[in-house]
Each structure stands twice: as C-alpha cells, then as structure tokens.
C-alpha cells in the first residue's frame, strides 16, 4: 500500500523557518515528480514547489527565494525548507508524489500537515 508520511509542520512566528519532510513508500516505482501543495481556509489547493527525479525544480512565485525543495531519490523522500515565513503562508501543506505506472501517471497524497505563521 502506497504511503506518504509527512512531518515538520507547526507554529512559527513571522520571519521564522520550518522544514517539512515526506517519505514515500509502498511500491517498487519511484516518483517521477514529488512536490508540496498547500490549501488555506476558503482557498483552492495550490502548488508550492515540485522537483523532478532529475533535480529540476519549480516554485510558486509567492515562495521563490524563500522556500527550497530537495529530494533524496534513494530514500524516496522530499523536503521543503521554508525560510522568512509570512502569515500568508499559513495553510495545510500536502506532499504529492506522481508515479508513472502501467502507462499512466498516478498521483498520491499525504495526509497534510498544518503550518501556522503568526504575525
């Protein structure tokens, strides 16, 4: 059974830092893309950052220069280092893994971890 286990959320003051981690397991297939999405109350889920297996990254404009995504392909883990946090970064953060399986991409999601930034 595929699992994405997240850790590292919490409460931090504006300007502070948090590091989110996510471990993918349960299949012999390695994710082609791993990423982090977030959803704030009353808003749609949005992409925060993603990273391909080859290392190419993509960031939302709102987090460029503040957040850094990285992954360990051997361990199927992905991390999100969040610096200079702002109150508008408050949301539930979801880990995502996109895996190519038998001719199609499949998306897997973590349970979500709360990040709260106080002003």
């Amino acid at each position: 059974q595929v699992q994405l286990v997240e850790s590292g959320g919490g409460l931090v003051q504006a300007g502070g830092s948090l590091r989110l981690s996510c471990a993918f397991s349960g299949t012999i297939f390695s994710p082609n893309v791993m990423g982090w999405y977030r959803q704030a109350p009353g808003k749609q889920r949005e992409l925060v950052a993603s990273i391909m297996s080859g290392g190419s990254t993509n960031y939302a404009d709102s987090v460029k220069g503040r957040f850094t995504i990285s992954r360990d392909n051997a361990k199927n883990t992905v991390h999100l280092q969040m610096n200079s946090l702002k109150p508008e970064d408050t949301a539930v953060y979801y880990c995502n893994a996109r895996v190519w399986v038998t001719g199609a991409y499949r998306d897997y999601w973590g349970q979500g971890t709360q990040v709260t930034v106080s002003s």
Side-chain angles (χ1 to χ4, degrees):
Q1 182 178 353
V2 173
Q3 281 190 311
L4 285 166
V5 179
E6 301 153 342
S7 60
L11 172 64
V12 65
Q13 288 188 330
S17 298
L18 282 174
R19 179 178 170 86
L20 305 183
S21 296
C22 174
F24 174 86
S25 65
T27 174
I28 62 171
F29 302 103
S30 292
N32 299 83
V33 186
M34 297 190 78
W36 291 92
Y37 290 69
R38 67 187 181 188
Q39 188 166 18
K43 294 188 177 181
Q44 289 189 331
R45 189 174 296 190
E46 63 175 0
L47 174 68
V48 176
S50 63
I51 184 166
M52 305 287 288
S53 56
S56 299
T57 57
N58 182 42
Y59 293 93
D61 287 342
S62 59
V63 307
K64 284 181 181 176
R66 300 188 297 123
F67 291 10
T68 302
I69 190 169
S70 61
R71 68 185 282 177
D72 183 333
N73 290 332
K75 296 180 179 180
N76 280 337
T77 55
V78 64
H79 308 282
L80 185 68
Q81 178 66 43
M82 304 185 293
N83 298 328
S84 302
L85 282 160
K86 304 175 181 181
E88 50 263 43
D89 294 318
T90 295
V92 177
Y93 284 69
Y94 296 91
C95 179
N96 169 264
R98 177 162 289 183
V99 184
W100 182 258
V101 179
T102 58
Y105 281 112
R106 294 192 65 178
D107 280 306
Y108 298 95
W109 295 91
Q111 78 282 4
T113 185
Q114 178 70 45
V115 171
T116 302
V117 184
S118 62
S119 57

